[in-house]
């Protein structure tokens, strides 16, 4: 392939909206072009990488026994009403109407479509189990699209859905996908971790996320080096801290003028933040009510856990405003759970471990001392706190550590969440209609592409692993109008191409330094320079991963590249 024919469009500098290295490099290397926030077009180099990533996923999915289909992004509202998600999905769902006022959405995911597919196409229980997958474009109206392909409004996902007769079958299908994902992310050369993930209101330990480890990741992972426990912080738990708080005693009102925040209280009472109970009031728009959460003063609430406990929805649970607090009889900065029995109160386990604690007095400028769970207030005990580094591992009790990760995939035991309401059933031996037991499995294809860049780059540009690089090698003649150089460069190009190597010949009329910069930025694994020793049949071979340069014969360079590509 000649470089003059390739629409190479590298940039000296990335547009200012690109904040992280992988996004900057994908734009600078001319892999992507951005039109509106969160929407990307893939340029020739980008498409080649994308195709390779998709093909690796496809190979492994096919090997796992899954079958490929392809669905439309356009989905009718009716199916989403059947599953109960048309409202619940919230503002991320891109909704639209056709000219006849019929409503649709652009699929953010395809559970409804695949469930309908299995319901209509699986005629006999003999066809079960079955796992279907697709590689297809998804739409999510993300509140804040950012970081390029990491969080975009249109992105490519590989999604798969398994249908089994029973739980035991689902276990097998799930494990099969877990193993398949492990193989896929290993083939991409990613440094990743599989971690326990939140399962929303389905419950159980039925989900894992695959995290590409990276400081720019948006997920925190709590993990234990001693026993390998690892969980997304949304899900992670820790061994209960049995801190006893204040002594048991009579409730006592204390004047605390203008002392509202935990920091101010710590200062005022000269004690650890653990001695306070933080009372948080939320407006649950989905269930049309207000709820209260109580956690220790040194803790942060884990909203996902609260959503699960209260059967609410992340999109519809908001902190009560100052006006709402006043209307409900609370005073901002001085809230307490005592005397608030008419609300649903959720209380973190640690609160019940304390003999008593300080809380707000529900009166301006006052707090109360010695407030005790079970005596002065009640509520549902549950785990509401965000796990932090140093909390003790729930399995083995050793201190947990925190890693950052990019969620590149997630697998999920859905059980009958969709098959039941959507009546996706099979007939069992007794003639009963039984809902199929489902799993669903997603890989963010475009997010994975960018995660590879995040883990494979240096100050010069991208360092693609050989199996996903847009081309395997590039030949850069120093002077393409020099007959000896031209002859050797052309011969190397043609011989490589005939041996199955994807190779570029940089025939552009540019200075060599300019060309090298481009190829280092684009990140092809092998850069071969044909220069002044061309007449002797000597070239310079550079490995992009190590940036090591070695002079070698034409044959050696040829063999090195061909054998690396053949061993893929
Ligand atoms: P996140 O928590 O990052 O918003 P999610 O859990 O909502 O993601 P899933 O529904 O599990 O995402 O989708 C499967 C995969 O699709 C994710 O693991 C992720 O890799 C990818 N993905 C999800 N949302 C986006 C997005 N806005 N842009 C790019 N990839 C995405
Ligand atoms: Mg997810």
């Amino acid at each position: 392939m000649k470089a003059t024919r390739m629409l190479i469009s590298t940039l000296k500098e990335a547009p200012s909206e690109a904040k992280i290295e992988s996004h900057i490099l994908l734009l600078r290397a001319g892999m992507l072009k951005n039109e509106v926030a969160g929407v990307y077009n893939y340029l020739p180099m980008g498409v080649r990488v994308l195709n390779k990533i998709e093909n690796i996923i496809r190979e492994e999915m096919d090997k796992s026994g899954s079958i490929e289909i392809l669905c439309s992004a356009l989905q009718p509202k009716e199916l989403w009403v059947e599953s109960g998600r048309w409202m619940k999905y919230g503002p991320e769902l891109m909704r639209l109407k056709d000219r006849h006022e019929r409503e649709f959405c652009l699929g953010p995911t395809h559970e409804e479509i695949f469930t309908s597919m299995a319901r209509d196409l699986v005629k006999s229980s003999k066809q079960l189990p079955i796992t279907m997958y697709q590689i297809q474009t998804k739409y999510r109206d993300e509140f804040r699209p950012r970081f390029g392909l990491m969080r975009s409004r249109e992105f490519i996902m590989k999604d798969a859905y398994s249908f089994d007769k029973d739980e035991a079958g689902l276990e097998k299908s799930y494990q099969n996908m877990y193993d398949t994902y492990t193989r896929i992310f290993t083939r991409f050369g990613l440094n990743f971790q599989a971690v326990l993930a939140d399962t929303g209101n389905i419950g159980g330990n039925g989900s894992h996320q695959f995290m590409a480890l990276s400081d720019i990741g948006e997920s925190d992972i709590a993990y234990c080096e001693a026993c390998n426990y690892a969980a997304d912080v949304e899900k992670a738990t820790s061994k209960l801290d049995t801190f006893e708080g204040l002594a048991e005693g009579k409730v006592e009102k204390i004047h605390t003028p203008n002392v509202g925040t935990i920091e101010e209280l710590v200062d005022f009472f000269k004690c650890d933040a653990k001695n306070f109970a933080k009372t948080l009031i939320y407006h649950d728009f989905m269930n049309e009510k207000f709820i209260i959460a109580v956690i220790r003063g040194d803790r942060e609430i884990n909203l996902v856990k609260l959503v699960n406990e209260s059967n609410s929805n992340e999109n519809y649970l908001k902190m009560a405003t100052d006006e709402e607090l006043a209307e409900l009889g609370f005073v901002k900065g001085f809230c307490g759970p005592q005397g608030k029995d008419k609300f649903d109160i959720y209380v973190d386990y640690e609160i019940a471990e304390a003999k008593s604690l300080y809380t707000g007095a529900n009166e301006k400028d006052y707090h109360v001392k010695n407030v005790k769970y079970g005596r002065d207030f009640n509520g549902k005990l549950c785990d509401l706190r965000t796990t932090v580094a140093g909390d003790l591992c729930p399995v083995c009790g050793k201190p947990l550590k925190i890693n950052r990760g990019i969620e590149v995939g997630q697998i999920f035991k859905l059980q009958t969440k969709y098959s039941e309401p959507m009546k996706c059933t099979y007939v069992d031996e007794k003639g009963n209609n039984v809902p199929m037991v489902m799993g669903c499995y997603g890989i963010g294809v475009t997010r994975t592409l960018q995660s590879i860049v995040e883990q494979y780059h240096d100050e010069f540009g991208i360092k693609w692993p050989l199996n996903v690089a847009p081309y395997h090698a590039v030949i850069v003649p120093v002077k393409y109008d020099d007959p000896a150089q031209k002859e050797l460069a052309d011969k190397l190009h043609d011989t490589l191409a005939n041996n199955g190597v994807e190779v570029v010949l940089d025939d552009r009329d540019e200075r060599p330094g300019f060309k090298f910069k481009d190829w280092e930025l684009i990140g092809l694994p092998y850069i071969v320079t044909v220069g002044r020793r061309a007449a002797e049949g000597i070239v310079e071979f550079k490995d992009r991963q190590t940036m090591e340069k070695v002079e070698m014969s034409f044959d050696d360079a040829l063999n090195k590249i061909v054998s690396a590509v053949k061993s893929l």
Side-chain angles (χ1 to χ4, degrees):
M1 187 71 199
K2 295 226 164 121
T4 44
R5 306 265 59 81
M6 284 173 53
L7 201 67
I8 293 171
S9 38
T10 48
L11 303 172
K12 269 220 161 63
E13 279 179 37
S16 60
E17 72 267 14
K19 301 284 184 243
I20 61 170
E21 210 52 35
S22 54
H23 187 198
I24 292 171
L25 288 174
L26 285 171
L27 291 171
R28 282 194 54 216
M31 307 254 163
L32 298 179
K33 189 165 183 299
N34 177 221
E35 296 299 344
V36 286
V39 179
Y40 288 88
N41 299 308
Y42 300 86
L43 299 180
M45 292 281 181
V47 171
R48 291 182 69 92
V49 178
L50 188 59
N51 286 339
K52 290 191 178 181
I53 289 178
E54 291 187 1
N55 282 338
I56 287 175
I57 295 176
R58 194 170 269 123
E59 266 176 40
E60 293 298 335
M61 289 302 295
D62 291 347
K63 236 188 263 172
S64 79
S66 311
I67 48 166
E68 184 170 5
I69 63 171
L70 180 60
C71 298
S72 169
L74 202 59
Q75 305 186 15
K77 172 182 176 180
E78 292 78 9
L79 286 179
W80 285 71
V81 171
E82 265 189 68
S83 72
R85 283 210 293 187
W86 182 254
M87 282 315 293
K88 209 171 172 182
Y89 207 90
E92 243 176 53
L93 192 63
M94 293 225 186
R95 299 150 210 261
L96 66 154
K97 277 186 191 162
D98 71 8
R99 63 174 68 194
H100 308 294
E101 294 288 303
R102 186 172 173 190
E103 290 185 88
F104 294 85
C105 67
L106 291 174
T109 174
H110 274 67
E111 279 80 8
E112 282 77 2
I113 299 290
F114 276 71
T115 307
S116 152
M117 191 88 70
R119 171 174 73 184
D120 296 345
L121 301 185
V122 175
K123 301 284 180 218
S124 147
S125 65
K126 292 201 186 88
Q127 290 169 284
L128 297 176
I130 189 167
T131 299
M132 295 184 264
Y133 80 96
Q134 65 173 345
I135 298 176
Q136 186 263 359
T137 305
K138 301 280 185 264
Y139 295 86
R140 293 185 186 182
D141 197 358
E142 296 278 355
F143 182 63
R144 212 155 61 87
R146 60 191 175 281
F147 300 160
L149 303 180
M150 293 292 187
R151 187 166 299 284
S152 45
R153 295 198 291 176
E154 182 193 85
F155 60 97
I156 299 173
M157 196 199 285
K158 185 288 300 174
D159 46 334
Y161 306 83
S162 65
F163 299 84
D164 273 279
K165 285 197 266 193
D166 50 28
E167 289 283 334
L170 170 60
E171 287 302 324
K172 274 196 200 152
S173 300
Y174 185 88
Q175 189 60 42
N176 184 19
M177 277 302 122
Y178 184 101
D179 297 340
T180 301
Y181 276 35
T182 303
R183 281 201 298 275
I184 289 171
F185 294 119
T186 304
R187 281 185 70 179
F188 293 143
L190 283 174
N191 177 15
F192 71 97
Q193 215 174 355
V195 311
L196 285 170
D198 174 56
T199 50
N201 46 22
I202 300 170
N205 272 350
S207 179
H208 285 86
Q209 282 162 335
F210 289 77
M211 302 285 199
L213 301 182
S214 163
D215 288 341
I216 61 98
E218 295 185 282
S219 308
D220 285 319
I221 304 158
Y223 70 102
C224 173
E225 277 172 337
C227 76
N228 286 335
Y229 170 81
D232 187 311
V233 162
E234 288 183 346
K235 161 88 181 165
T237 57
S238 56
K239 217 172 141 207
L240 195 59
D241 177 3
T242 54
F243 177 73
E244 290 189 354
L246 306 176
E248 222 157 305
K250 247 184 38 221
V251 175
E252 206 181 297
K253 202 161 115 182
I254 304 167
H255 189 46
T256 54
N258 297 320
V259 178
T261 65
I262 291 290
E263 294 76 42
E264 289 163 352
L265 285 162
V266 164
D267 246 24
F268 185 90
F269 286 105
K270 307 259 175 297
C271 69
D272 197 285
K274 289 180 174 182
N275 293 291
F276 301 92
K278 217 162 28 178
T279 305
L280 306 165
I281 295 104
Y282 290 89
H283 190 162
D284 174 354
F285 289 91
M286 203 172 80
N287 299 310
E288 287 298 343
K289 61 182 177 186
F290 288 87
I291 63 169
I292 297 179
V294 188
I295 53 168
R296 235 171 45 184
D298 61 321
R299 292 294 190 177
E300 291 302 323
I301 185 120
N302 180 328
L303 214 53
V304 173
K305 291 180 181 172
L306 181 62
V307 161
N308 293 341
E309 285 298 337
S310 62
N311 238 326
S312 176
N313 178 302
E314 257 180 283
N315 291 310
Y316 296 103
L317 195 66
K318 304 273 180 251
M319 282 291 254
T321 61
D322 293 0
E323 295 78 50
E324 285 170 339
L325 286 180
E327 272 170 39
L328 298 168
F330 288 101
V331 184
K332 193 188 173 199
F334 302 91
C335 300
Q338 64 284 7
K340 299 292 180 189
D341 296 347
K342 64 175 177 178
F343 296 99
D344 290 343
I345 304 180
Y346 299 91
V347 182
D348 186 78
Y349 289 121
E350 282 180 350
I351 296 286
E353 289 299 308
K355 289 197 171 120
S356 80
L357 295 162
Y358 291 106
T359 77
N362 293 321
E363 192 180 327
K364 184 153 172 50
D365 288 343
Y366 283 94
H367 278 80
V368 277
K369 195 178 169 181
N370 298 337
V371 173
K372 185 175 170 54
Y373 173 76
R375 182 189 73 186
D376 305 313
F377 68 99
N378 272 303
K380 185 181 178 205
L381 282 181
C382 47
D383 176 6
L384 291 180
R385 59 196 183 275
T386 301
T387 303
V388 295
D391 281 352
L392 302 182
C393 172
V395 180
C396 76
K398 295 270 164 27
L400 292 169
K401 293 190 165 174
I402 303 281
N403 251 342
R404 298 227 90 189
I406 304 162
E407 183 197 317
V408 283
Q410 182 161 17
I411 58 177
F412 217 113
K413 291 176 196 165
L414 291 173
Q415 292 157 317
T416 55
K417 183 177 158 82
Y418 295 90
S419 51
E420 217 166 274
M422 294 185 68
K423 303 195 175 52
C424 173
T425 58
Y426 70 96
V427 182
D428 72 4
E429 311 83 60
K430 295 180 203 133
N432 298 321
N433 278 321
V434 184
M436 296 181 201
V437 183
M438 292 173 57
C440 74
Y441 317 92
I443 290 180
V445 176
T446 41
R447 188 185 279 185
T448 297
L449 185 157
Q450 193 172 321
S451 302
I452 297 174
V453 179
E454 201 51 50
Q455 291 190 356
Y456 286 88
H457 72 264
D458 58 16
E459 68 268 40
F460 307 108
I462 307 173
K463 304 192 289 184
W464 291 111
L466 189 60
N467 63 349
V468 295
Y471 292 87
H472 301 127
V474 55
I475 299 157
V476 185
V478 173
K479 275 190 177 160
Y480 197 49
D481 51 7
D482 173 283
Q485 289 188 26
K486 180 171 190 313
E487 194 192 328
L488 196 68
D490 286 351
K491 188 169 140 204
L492 187 54
H493 171 270
D494 296 350
T495 322
L496 284 170
N498 288 335
N499 279 282
V501 175
E502 298 166 11
V503 57
V504 179
L505 175 65
D506 195 346
D507 59 338
R508 291 178 299 170
D509 185 17
E510 296 284 359
R511 283 182 306 102
F514 176 92
K515 296 189 196 179
F516 292 134
K517 274 217 168 72
D518 259 6
W519 296 113
E520 284 160 10
L521 174 61
I522 292 168
L524 300 193
Y526 305 120
I527 302 170
V528 184
T529 309
V530 178
R532 62 190 162 77
R533 298 189 67 186
E536 303 162 60
I538 304 285
V539 300
E540 187 189 82
F541 177 94
K542 176 148 74 183
D543 184 322
R544 179 64 186 88
Q545 294 290 340
T546 59
M547 288 296 264
E548 256 169 28
K549 285 192 282 194
V550 192
E551 279 199 337
M552 59 177 74
S553 70
F554 174 95
D555 283 341
D556 284 352
L558 180 72
N559 286 337
K560 234 175 136 83
I561 299 170
V562 171
S563 62
V565 170
K566 288 230 161 96
S567 69
L568 277 180

